[in-house]
Amino acid sequence: MKFRDQLSLVRRNMKKNRMRVFMTVLATTIGCAFLIVLASVGFGMQKSMQEELLSAQKLNEIQISGKETDAGFEQGNDEQIKELEDTKNVAAVVRRSYATQTGQTAAKLGDRTADFSAPLITNMENEFKANLKLDSGKAPKNDREVIVGHHFASSLLTDAERKQLDEQAQNSKTAAEEPEGYQGELIGKEIVLTQTEQIDGKSETKSWTFTISGITAAPSRDYMDDFNIYISDVWKKDMQEFAAKADAADEVEPQEYNEIKVYTASIEDVKGVTDSLKDKGYLVYSITEELENMNLFFNAFKAGLIFVGTVAVLIASIGIFNTMTMAVTERTQEIGIMKAIGAQPGVIRRIFLLESAFIGLLGALLGVIIAYAVSFAANFAIPLVLGAVSEGSMEGVDFTFSYIPLSLVLIAGGISLGVALISGLRPAVKATNINVLSALRREL
């Protein structure tokens, strides 16, 4: 019997008991859909976490927290910077310092003041080597030019606007709009940066005047704000010497650099550079390590979800076993005739296995379609529900609750098909063992 004839026979036999086959396929469909939807939660959580990590940090960035030496732990210093720059495949080493850790800083533009804009003393050349992106303007040409954060303008408030903001903070029920801050062009404007310290019990202030040459690009996430002022490290000594006079300076551990970040030449070099720096005693953090640890956890989590989902498919296999057993019983005489005219046992077995495989395959296909529909509905509806319940606190949060990659579809389809074949194996073997004479007398 040709394979095409076997397929025709299978289709004919399945049409004889449509309702029974339909219920069996339905059970398989539900089991497969449940498996995919359940596992898609794990895939969705992993995808969201990965996107969050990748958006919050550059892929080729390695953060340095210091170095372990024979003498103990060392904070970042110039010697470490030199060693980091000489490391193979390192494209740039960004080092940032705070102007003060004891006093207050403010930036003034005309009658407007930004009280919470943080000055960052940095090496501009390395910032741009590390791919610092500007929304407008250009890189500083001299030490008197600075770059401001994307949201710096909104922090420049007049006294009246600051009073309005304070009143709104005190009365949370007030529906007044927050002040928009400075609305004009910032490029080319002069700002006065003031630093205030308590020295010998008195408040003393020192000022520096800078010109804005550029504005950084918007952060990758809507809820992130950038109010920083990027200042050339030429001013580091002057600002920190003034801060060192503060009464509380002795209570603060001095740090040469508050932030050190290494940027590799390419993403492929991150792991190699990370391992190299670890061997040298550096305490490092890179997104590749975070992703490896996170993926390890989520792989175990997804495996658990797939295992639980497989139980539903196994329950559906009981229906397949029952359907195929009934099919063998009802076709006993037909099987006897096939064997009498010379049909090989392998052909008979293959016919019943094809029938159970069709049930598993059809159930898997329908299950995938239903799973995608449920996944789409969940990703659409759940954020709306959470947004309504949380009264808008979820605004700006992008989270994928269900994600179905092709690999999950293949895994679920493979499990459904495999379970269907296993369920139909015993009835198929039973069909090949039927005695011809008994079968022709319609006896088992």
Side-chain angles (χ1 to χ4, degrees), residues 142-215:
N142 57 64
D143 301 333
R144 283 286 179 181
E145 292 186 337
V146 297
I147 294 173
V148 296
H150 186 80
H151 301 95
F152 175 74
S154 63
S155 67
L156 289 167
L157 305 176
T158 62
D159 292 338
E161 289 174 334
R162 189 171 289 102
K163 183 178 180 182
Q164 174 189 346
L165 192 62
D166 292 339
E167 290 176 352
Q168 184 177 345
Q170 293 174 3
N171 187 2
S172 58
K173 296 181 180 180
T174 303
E177 295 183 0
E178 293 187 5
E180 294 182 351
Y182 184 75
Q183 296 299 304
E185 176 63 49
L186 280 176
I187 305 299
K189 291 290 191 295
E190 284 191 350
I191 59 171
V192 178
L193 180 66
T194 61
Q195 182 174 326
T196 304
E197 303 283 354
Q198 291 294 323
I199 302 176
D200 296 331
K202 298 179 181 180
S203 180
E204 293 191 17
T205 301
K206 190 170 183 178
S207 302
W208 297 266
T209 301
F210 299 104
T211 302
I212 299 175
S213 69
I215 302 173

Side-chain angles (χ1 to χ4, degrees), residues 81 92-99 118-130 132 140 142-143 145-148 210 216 228-237 239-240 256-261 263:
I81 296 297
V93 179
V94 171
R95 53 272 201 182
R96 296 172 178 173
S97 304
Y98 302 148
L120 286 178
I121 304 172
T122 184
N123 183 286
M124 291 293 184
E125 182 181 354
N126 282 282
E127 288 283 355
F128 284 96
K129 281 183 179 180
L132 176 67
N142 57 64
D143 301 333
E145 292 186 337
V146 297
I147 294 173
V148 296
F210 299 104
T216 63
N228 294 319
I229 304 173
Y230 300 84
I231 303 170
S232 171
D233 54 7
V234 170
W235 302 98
K236 179 178 178 179
K237 183 178 180 181
M239 293 181 176
Q240 291 190 344
E256 186 71 20
Y257 300 103
N258 298 95
E259 294 179 33
I260 300 178
K261 297 179 180 180
Y263 293 86

Side-chain angles (χ1 to χ4, degrees), residues 13-15 17-26 323 355 359 362:
N13 291 333
M14 292 180 69
K15 289 179 180 179
N17 295 284
R18 293 183 179 181
M19 182 56 66
R20 186 170 64 199
V21 172
F22 170 77
M23 296 303 296
T24 307
V25 171
L26 180 62
T323 297
E355 189 170 334
I359 293 174
L362 185 58

